[in-house]
Amino acid sequence: MEIKEPFLWGAATSAYQIEGARFAGGKTDSIWDTFAHRRRKIKNGENADITCEHYRRYAEDIRLMQKLNLMAYRFSISWPRIFPTKKGGINAKGLDHYDRLVDALLNAGIRPFVTLYHWDLPQYLEDKGGWTQRDTIQYFCEYANACANRLGDRVKNFIVFNEPMIFLTLGYLLGIHAPGRYGFKNFFRASHNVLLAQGEAARLLKAKLPNAEIGTTISATAAYPATENIKDINAAKRFDLLYNTFYLEAALYGKYTTDNFPFLKKIEKYIIEEDMDKMQFDFDFWGINTYTRKIVYASKIVPYAKWREKKTPKENQKTILGWEVYPEGIYDLLKKYATYDKIKKIYITENGAAFEDQLVAGRVVDTQRIEYLRAYTAQVIKARNEGAPIYGYFVWSLLDNFEWAEGFKPRFGLVYVDYPSGRRYIKDSGYWYRDFIQKNKIAPDFI
Ligand code: FCB
């Protein structure tokens, strides 16, 4: 494979996790504002009303990105900043903020990757049923349109959704993320609508901005059977289908792949007319977020899925969230996605690790994170040298931030954030990444 563009090394964040400024510039609440203020939903009763205050401190954060040598920065737009009410139209102040952010990034020589939806649906839409309602698709398209009109002259990479599978299972099936809904009915209805919104918004963006790259991001976890037994092999296949390929194939081919997992057929009930054509879209790139792997057994007692996950052996390294460190997993996934000839380009839009970081005399010695990043990036480079069409890699995350239901304890940043002062300190991993990028710019490890 001949590669003409430079490989982009960057870092990622999302609006709710870092911005704070809950009511600034006319913003109203998203489902995450509401959810975080509900009792016992977030560890230690925390919320992101303030978090890293990036909304106010973005210029300082861009200076940090420059110090880290970042070539690209992935962030998300907060939908309720742009459309704070259902009928009030576009809020110019909301767009002004992202306009300034994009200009400041470009001035700093950093390429912006803009995610439209990183989980913060306006609360007023949730009040009418949110993603379980088809109307939401139309509202999403209006929002995408407003972002394209304002930023499309400068932003060349748009990501429509972040990890549909994760926000749909955790938020609509299991109730542990916003909006805190439960049950298969909510899950399947919302999934179908999100896939439609993804296709429709992507088509709209591409028609408006033919020179931009339009992508979308999925979560992926390499899955392996616990034994050679055919039952376990099939359990791993079901896991892989649900978590790694179901949403992808719906968008790639305009069909629901349910062969190995007939339970998923329930989603077909929500299909009307040309839905399946509408959800199909030839994305310019796919974003892949991956952190760990899973080993699965078949299990008769677990309803529907019929698998259970094997516990990570004690001797294997884990992050503070209990996620096993398994660098080969990213390689296996990339090789797998590279076999889809309809996938033209891949960016790793998130990869990283949360460890117990300590700020001592202004320094954070996070050796484990350095080891993690070193090992995972080596696997990414290996996969690309073997021909996988990978064009960039983003560390999750630029800054320590609000890790959803887990609150502030898991720190993922290359930069340490001292709460509540908000003071930032580049961790040792940040300095390591800076040097890694520098070296790769001069003498890439790519063949
Ligand atoms: C992903 C999310 C991201 C972050 C990381 C740790 O699932 O997209 O916002 O929370 O996990």
Side-chain angles (χ1 to χ4, degrees), residues 358-384:
Q358 304 290 344
L359 178 70
V360 181
R363 185 169 169 203
V364 179
V365 183
D366 55 339
T367 318
Q368 285 175 297
R369 184 171 294 102
I370 296 175
E371 293 305 312
Y372 180 102
L373 295 174
R374 198 199 303 276
Y376 273 75
T377 51
Q379 296 289 334
V380 171
I381 291 169
K382 182 175 166 211
R384 185 166 113 164

PDB file of all heavy atoms in Angstrom, residues 358-384:
ATOM      1  N   GLN A 358      -0.339   9.849  40.416  1.00  0.00           N
ATOM      2  CA  GLN A 358      -0.047  10.701  41.574  1.00  0.00           C
ATOM      3  C   GLN A 358       0.747  11.914  41.126  1.00  0.00           C
ATOM      4  O   GLN A 358       1.773  11.757  40.457  1.00  0.00           O
ATOM      5  CB  GLN A 358       0.827   9.953  42.601  1.00  0.00           C
ATOM      6  CG  GLN A 358       0.256   8.641  43.109  1.00  0.00           C
ATOM      7  CD  GLN A 358      -0.961   8.847  44.009  1.00  0.00           C
ATOM      8  OE1 GLN A 358      -1.201   9.967  44.489  1.00  0.00           O
ATOM      9  NE2 GLN A 358      -1.722   7.789  44.233  1.00  0.00           N
ATOM     10  N   LEU A 359       0.275  13.070  41.548  1.00  0.00           N
ATOM     11  CA  LEU A 359       1.027  14.293  41.258  1.00  0.00           C
ATOM     12  C   LEU A 359       1.964  14.536  42.438  1.00  0.00           C
ATOM     13  O   LEU A 359       1.514  14.762  43.556  1.00  0.00           O
ATOM     14  CB  LEU A 359       0.056  15.469  41.091  1.00  0.00           C
ATOM     15  CG  LEU A 359       0.680  16.835  40.837  1.00  0.00           C
ATOM     16  CD1 LEU A 359       1.303  16.906  39.453  1.00  0.00           C
ATOM     17  CD2 LEU A 359      -0.384  17.927  40.979  1.00  0.00           C
ATOM     18  N   VAL A 360       3.255  14.441  42.183  1.00  0.00           N
ATOM     19  CA  VAL A 360       4.220  14.662  43.253  1.00  0.00           C
ATOM     20  C   VAL A 360       5.195  15.741  42.794  1.00  0.00           C
ATOM     21  O   VAL A 360       5.879  15.563  41.785  1.00  0.00           O
ATOM     22  CB  VAL A 360       4.992  13.359  43.596  1.00  0.00           C
ATOM     23  CG1 VAL A 360       5.984  13.604  44.735  1.00  0.00           C
ATOM     24  CG2 VAL A 360       4.025  12.238  43.938  1.00  0.00           C
ATOM     25  N   ALA A 361       5.210  16.822  43.535  1.00  0.00           N
ATOM     26  CA  ALA A 361       6.086  17.960  43.203  1.00  0.00           C
ATOM     27  C   ALA A 361       5.968  18.344  41.725  1.00  0.00           C
ATOM     28  O   ALA A 361       6.971  18.502  41.014  1.00  0.00           O
ATOM     29  CB  ALA A 361       7.537  17.626  43.572  1.00  0.00           C
ATOM     30  N   GLY A 362       4.729  18.420  41.254  1.00  0.00           N
ATOM     31  CA  GLY A 362       4.496  18.905  39.896  1.00  0.00           C
ATOM     32  C   GLY A 362       4.735  17.873  38.808  1.00  0.00           C
ATOM     33  O   GLY A 362       4.651  18.179  37.619  1.00  0.00           O
ATOM     34  N   ARG A 363       5.026  16.620  39.202  1.00  0.00           N
ATOM     35  CA  ARG A 363       5.332  15.606  38.187  1.00  0.00           C
ATOM     36  C   ARG A 363       4.439  14.377  38.364  1.00  0.00           C
ATOM     37  O   ARG A 363       4.101  14.011  39.481  1.00  0.00           O
ATOM     38  CB  ARG A 363       6.810  15.231  38.332  1.00  0.00           C
ATOM     39  CG  ARG A 363       7.252  14.282  37.249  1.00  0.00           C
ATOM     40  CD  ARG A 363       8.762  14.106  37.195  1.00  0.00           C
ATOM     41  NE  ARG A 363       9.025  12.979  36.293  1.00  0.00           N
ATOM     42  CZ  ARG A 363      10.117  12.247  36.304  1.00  0.00           C
ATOM     43  NH1 ARG A 363      11.093  12.520  37.141  1.00  0.00           N
ATOM     44  NH2 ARG A 363      10.254  11.246  35.457  1.00  0.00           N
ATOM     45  N   VAL A 364       4.099  13.746  37.240  1.00  0.00           N
ATOM     46  CA  VAL A 364       3.345  12.486  37.308  1.00  0.00           C
ATOM     47  C   VAL A 364       4.156  11.417  36.577  1.00  0.00           C
ATOM     48  O   VAL A 364       4.366  11.489  35.369  1.00  0.00           O
ATOM     49  CB  VAL A 364       1.951  12.616  36.648  1.00  0.00           C
ATOM     50  CG1 VAL A 364       1.205  11.285  36.712  1.00  0.00           C
ATOM     51  CG2 VAL A 364       1.131  13.724  37.314  1.00  0.00           C
ATOM     52  N   VAL A 365       4.631  10.449  37.348  1.00  0.00           N
ATOM     53  CA  VAL A 365       5.443   9.378  36.763  1.00  0.00           C
ATOM     54  C   VAL A 365       4.490   8.224  36.430  1.00  0.00           C
ATOM     55  O   VAL A 365       4.213   7.373  37.266  1.00  0.00           O
ATOM     56  CB  VAL A 365       6.536   8.922  37.766  1.00  0.00           C
ATOM     57  CG1 VAL A 365       7.432   7.851  37.142  1.00  0.00           C
ATOM     58  CG2 VAL A 365       7.371  10.116  38.221  1.00  0.00           C
ATOM     59  N   ASP A 366       3.976   8.225  35.209  1.00  0.00           N
ATOM     60  CA  ASP A 366       2.980   7.212  34.839  1.00  0.00           C
ATOM     61  C   ASP A 366       3.576   6.190  33.874  1.00  0.00           C
ATOM     62  O   ASP A 366       3.168   6.072  32.721  1.00  0.00           O
ATOM     63  CB  ASP A 366       1.716   7.883  34.260  1.00  0.00           C
ATOM     64  CG  ASP A 366       2.008   8.804  33.085  1.00  0.00           C
ATOM     65  OD1 ASP A 366       3.161   9.254  32.946  1.00  0.00           O
ATOM     66  OD2 ASP A 366       1.087   9.045  32.281  1.00  0.00           O
ATOM     67  N   THR A 367       4.508   5.446  34.415  1.00  0.00           N
ATOM     68  CA  THR A 367       5.247   4.473  33.601  1.00  0.00           C
ATOM     69  C   THR A 367       4.324   3.450  32.942  1.00  0.00           C
ATOM     70  O   THR A 367       4.537   3.053  31.801  1.00  0.00           O
ATOM     71  CB  THR A 367       6.258   3.733  34.518  1.00  0.00           C
ATOM     72  OG1 THR A 367       6.840   4.715  35.379  1.00  0.00           O
ATOM     73  CG2 THR A 367       7.324   3.044  33.732  1.00  0.00           C
ATOM     74  N   GLN A 368       3.286   3.033  33.670  1.00  0.00           N
ATOM     75  CA  GLN A 368       2.394   2.007  33.099  1.00  0.00           C
ATOM     76  C   GLN A 368       1.692   2.514  31.839  1.00  0.00           C
ATOM     77  O   GLN A 368       1.471   1.775  30.889  1.00  0.00           O
ATOM     78  CB  GLN A 368       1.332   1.612  34.117  1.00  0.00           C
ATOM     79  CG  GLN A 368       1.865   0.732  35.220  1.00  0.00           C
ATOM     80  CD  GLN A 368       0.768   0.507  36.234  1.00  0.00           C
ATOM     81  OE1 GLN A 368       0.300   1.439  36.871  1.00  0.00           O
ATOM     82  NE2 GLN A 368       0.345  -0.742  36.369  1.00  0.00           N
ATOM     83  N   ARG A 369       1.330   3.804  31.849  1.00  0.00           N
ATOM     84  CA  ARG A 369       0.666   4.364  30.663  1.00  0.00           C
ATOM     85  C   ARG A 369       1.649   4.432  29.490  1.00  0.00           C
ATOM     86  O   ARG A 369       1.280   4.148  28.360  1.00  0.00           O
ATOM     87  CB  ARG A 369       0.078   5.750  30.978  1.00  0.00           C
ATOM     88  CG  ARG A 369      -0.714   6.328  29.806  1.00  0.00           C
ATOM     89  CD  ARG A 369      -1.472   7.593  30.167  1.00  0.00           C
ATOM     90  NE  ARG A 369      -2.541   7.356  31.126  1.00  0.00           N
ATOM     91  CZ  ARG A 369      -2.486   7.626  32.411  1.00  0.00           C
ATOM     92  NH1 ARG A 369      -1.402   8.202  32.924  1.00  0.00           N
ATOM     93  NH2 ARG A 369      -3.493   7.373  33.201  1.00  0.00           N
ATOM     94  N   ILE A 370       2.885   4.776  29.801  1.00  0.00           N
ATOM     95  CA  ILE A 370       3.898   4.809  28.727  1.00  0.00           C
ATOM     96  C   ILE A 370       4.025   3.411  28.120  1.00  0.00           C
ATOM     97  O   ILE A 370       4.025   3.252  26.902  1.00  0.00           O
ATOM     98  CB  ILE A 370       5.263   5.303  29.256  1.00  0.00           C
ATOM     99  CG1 ILE A 370       5.137   6.757  29.727  1.00  0.00           C
ATOM    100  CG2 ILE A 370       6.346   5.179  28.185  1.00  0.00           C
ATOM    101  CD1 ILE A 370       6.382   7.334  30.378  1.00  0.00           C
ATOM    102  N   GLU A 371       4.096   2.410  28.999  1.00  0.00           N
ATOM    103  CA  GLU A 371       4.220   1.032  28.504  1.00  0.00           C
ATOM    104  C   GLU A 371       3.022   0.651  27.646  1.00  0.00           C
ATOM    105  O   GLU A 371       3.154   0.021  26.597  1.00  0.00           O
ATOM    106  CB  GLU A 371       4.318   0.043  29.684  1.00  0.00           C
ATOM    107  CG  GLU A 371       5.595   0.181  30.487  1.00  0.00           C
ATOM    108  CD  GLU A 371       6.826   0.068  29.617  1.00  0.00           C
ATOM    109  OE1 GLU A 371       6.876  -0.878  28.825  1.00  0.00           O
ATOM    110  OE2 GLU A 371       7.721   0.942  29.700  1.00  0.00           O
ATOM    111  N   TYR A 372       1.855   1.022  28.121  1.00  0.00           N
ATOM    112  CA  TYR A 372       0.619   0.714  27.380  1.00  0.00           C
ATOM    113  C   TYR A 372       0.670   1.346  25.994  1.00  0.00           C
ATOM    114  O   TYR A 372       0.461   0.688  24.972  1.00  0.00           O
ATOM    115  CB  TYR A 372      -0.591   1.231  28.172  1.00  0.00           C
ATOM    116  CG  TYR A 372      -1.944   0.986  27.519  1.00  0.00           C
ATOM    117  CD1 TYR A 372      -2.779  -0.055  27.960  1.00  0.00           C
ATOM    118  CD2 TYR A 372      -2.399   1.790  26.473  1.00  0.00           C
ATOM    119  CE1 TYR A 372      -4.019  -0.269  27.361  1.00  0.00           C
ATOM    120  CE2 TYR A 372      -3.636   1.574  25.873  1.00  0.00           C
ATOM    121  CZ  TYR A 372      -4.445   0.548  26.325  1.00  0.00           C
ATOM    122  OH  TYR A 372      -5.668   0.338  25.728  1.00  0.00           O
ATOM    123  N   LEU A 373       0.977   2.634  25.952  1.00  0.00           N
ATOM    124  CA  LEU A 373       0.958   3.351  24.665  1.00  0.00           C
ATOM    125  C   LEU A 373       2.051   2.836  23.737  1.00  0.00           C
ATOM    126  O   LEU A 373       1.831   2.679  22.539  1.00  0.00           O
ATOM    127  CB  LEU A 373       1.110   4.861  24.891  1.00  0.00           C
ATOM    128  CG  LEU A 373      -0.048   5.536  25.639  1.00  0.00           C
ATOM    129  CD1 LEU A 373       0.279   7.003  25.924  1.00  0.00           C
ATOM    130  CD2 LEU A 373      -1.361   5.437  24.849  1.00  0.00           C
ATOM    131  N   ARG A 374       3.189   2.541  24.294  1.00  0.00           N
ATOM    132  CA  ARG A 374       4.297   2.026  23.485  1.00  0.00           C
ATOM    133  C   ARG A 374       3.876   0.701  22.819  1.00  0.00           C
ATOM    134  O   ARG A 374       4.054   0.505  21.622  1.00  0.00           O
ATOM    135  CB  ARG A 374       5.513   1.794  24.392  1.00  0.00           C
ATOM    136  CG  ARG A 374       6.841   1.689  23.636  1.00  0.00           C
ATOM    137  CD  ARG A 374       7.908   1.012  24.480  1.00  0.00           C
ATOM    138  NE  ARG A 374       8.189   1.652  25.765  1.00  0.00           N
ATOM    139  CZ  ARG A 374       9.022   2.677  25.930  1.00  0.00           C
ATOM    140  NH1 ARG A 374       9.635   3.198  24.899  1.00  0.00           N
ATOM    141  NH2 ARG A 374       9.234   3.168  27.135  1.00  0.00           N
ATOM    142  N   ALA A 375       3.275  -0.166  23.631  1.00  0.00           N
ATOM    143  CA  ALA A 375       2.908  -1.488  23.122  1.00  0.00           C
ATOM    144  C   ALA A 375       1.766  -1.409  22.104  1.00  0.00           C
ATOM    145  O   ALA A 375       1.800  -2.062  21.060  1.00  0.00           O
ATOM    146  CB  ALA A 375       2.519  -2.388  24.294  1.00  0.00           C
ATOM    147  N   TYR A 376       0.749  -0.589  22.399  1.00  0.00           N
ATOM    148  CA  TYR A 376      -0.391  -0.506  21.474  1.00  0.00           C
ATOM    149  C   TYR A 376       0.008   0.186  20.160  1.00  0.00           C
ATOM    150  O   TYR A 376      -0.381  -0.262  19.086  1.00  0.00           O
ATOM    151  CB  TYR A 376      -1.583   0.212  22.138  1.00  0.00           C
ATOM    152  CG  TYR A 376      -2.479  -0.726  22.925  1.00  0.00           C
ATOM    153  CD1 TYR A 376      -2.089  -1.219  24.163  1.00  0.00           C
ATOM    154  CD2 TYR A 376      -3.714  -1.135  22.417  1.00  0.00           C
ATOM    155  CE1 TYR A 376      -2.909  -2.084  24.880  1.00  0.00           C
ATOM    156  CE2 TYR A 376      -4.547  -2.008  23.129  1.00  0.00           C
ATOM    157  CZ  TYR A 376      -4.141  -2.470  24.360  1.00  0.00           C
ATOM    158  OH  TYR A 376      -4.950  -3.332  25.070  1.00  0.00           O
ATOM    159  N   THR A 377       0.785   1.249  20.250  1.00  0.00           N
ATOM    160  CA  THR A 377       1.172   1.926  18.996  1.00  0.00           C
ATOM    161  C   THR A 377       2.047   1.000  18.142  1.00  0.00           C
ATOM    162  O   THR A 377       1.954   1.020  16.912  1.00  0.00           O
ATOM    163  CB  THR A 377       1.915   3.255  19.259  1.00  0.00           C
ATOM    164  OG1 THR A 377       2.975   3.018  20.189  1.00  0.00           O
ATOM    165  CG2 THR A 377       0.985   4.315  19.812  1.00  0.00           C
ATOM    166  N   ALA A 378       2.858   0.173  18.787  1.00  0.00           N
ATOM    167  CA  ALA A 378       3.698  -0.760  18.017  1.00  0.00           C
ATOM    168  C   ALA A 378       2.814  -1.726  17.220  1.00  0.00           C
ATOM    169  O   ALA A 378       3.112  -2.050  16.066  1.00  0.00           O
ATOM    170  CB  ALA A 378       4.624  -1.532  18.957  1.00  0.00           C
ATOM    171  N   GLN A 379       1.709  -2.142  17.820  1.00  0.00           N
ATOM    172  CA  GLN A 379       0.799  -3.066  17.114  1.00  0.00           C
ATOM    173  C   GLN A 379       0.078  -2.356  15.973  1.00  0.00           C
ATOM    174  O   GLN A 379      -0.200  -2.950  14.934  1.00  0.00           O
ATOM    175  CB  GLN A 379      -0.230  -3.655  18.090  1.00  0.00           C
ATOM    176  CG  GLN A 379       0.370  -4.519  19.178  1.00  0.00           C
ATOM    177  CD  GLN A 379       0.902  -5.847  18.645  1.00  0.00           C
ATOM    178  OE1 GLN A 379       0.447  -6.352  17.629  1.00  0.00           O
ATOM    179  NE2 GLN A 379       1.876  -6.407  19.341  1.00  0.00           N
ATOM    180  N   VAL A 380      -0.224  -1.086  16.176  1.00  0.00           N
ATOM    181  CA  VAL A 380      -0.884  -0.306  15.116  1.00  0.00           C
ATOM    182  C   VAL A 380       0.075  -0.176  13.928  1.00  0.00           C
ATOM    183  O   VAL A 380      -0.303  -0.388  12.770  1.00  0.00           O
ATOM    184  CB  VAL A 380      -1.292   1.100  15.641  1.00  0.00           C
ATOM    185  CG1 VAL A 380      -1.765   1.998  14.498  1.00  0.00           C
ATOM    186  CG2 VAL A 380      -2.369   0.979  16.717  1.00  0.00           C
ATOM    187  N   ILE A 381       1.319   0.143  14.234  1.00  0.00           N
ATOM    188  CA  ILE A 381       2.320   0.299  13.170  1.00  0.00           C
ATOM    189  C   ILE A 381       2.524  -1.027  12.440  1.00  0.00           C
ATOM    190  O   ILE A 381       2.601  -1.071  11.208  1.00  0.00           O
ATOM    191  CB  ILE A 381       3.639   0.846  13.773  1.00  0.00           C
ATOM    192  CG1 ILE A 381       3.413   2.298  14.229  1.00  0.00           C
ATOM    193  CG2 ILE A 381       4.784   0.765  12.767  1.00  0.00           C
ATOM    194  CD1 ILE A 381       4.527   2.894  15.064  1.00  0.00           C
ATOM    195  N   LYS A 382       2.536  -2.111  13.210  1.00  0.00           N
ATOM    196  CA  LYS A 382       2.701  -3.439  12.597  1.00  0.00           C
ATOM    197  C   LYS A 382       1.557  -3.717  11.615  1.00  0.00           C
ATOM    198  O   LYS A 382       1.779  -4.133  10.482  1.00  0.00           O
ATOM    199  CB  LYS A 382       2.737  -4.494  13.708  1.00  0.00           C
ATOM    200  CG  LYS A 382       2.940  -5.895  13.228  1.00  0.00           C
ATOM    201  CD  LYS A 382       3.078  -6.855  14.416  1.00  0.00           C
ATOM    202  CE  LYS A 382       2.943  -8.291  13.956  1.00  0.00           C
ATOM    203  NZ  LYS A 382       2.363  -9.141  14.987  1.00  0.00           N
ATOM    204  N   ALA A 383       0.320  -3.447  12.069  1.00  0.00           N
ATOM    205  CA  ALA A 383      -0.841  -3.710  11.208  1.00  0.00           C
ATOM    206  C   ALA A 383      -0.761  -2.846   9.951  1.00  0.00           C
ATOM    207  O   ALA A 383      -1.058  -3.308   8.847  1.00  0.00           O
ATOM    208  CB  ALA A 383      -2.138  -3.445  11.969  1.00  0.00           C
ATOM    209  N   ARG A 384      -0.338  -1.603  10.108  1.00  0.00           N
ATOM    210  CA  ARG A 384      -0.274  -0.769   8.902  1.00  0.00           C
ATOM    211  C   ARG A 384       0.854  -1.220   7.974  1.00  0.00           C
ATOM    212  O   ARG A 384       0.692  -1.250   6.762  1.00  0.00           O
ATOM    213  CB  ARG A 384      -0.087   0.703   9.239  1.00  0.00           C
ATOM    214  CG  ARG A 384      -0.172   1.427   7.903  1.00  0.00           C
ATOM    215  CD  ARG A 384      -0.338   2.871   7.986  1.00  0.00           C
ATOM    216  NE  ARG A 384       0.850   3.530   7.490  1.00  0.00           N
ATOM    217  CZ  ARG A 384       0.874   4.799   7.166  1.00  0.00           C
ATOM    218  NH1 ARG A 384      -0.210   5.529   7.279  1.00  0.00           N
ATOM    219  NH2 ARG A 384       1.978   5.343   6.752  1.00  0.00           N
TER     220      ARG A 384
END
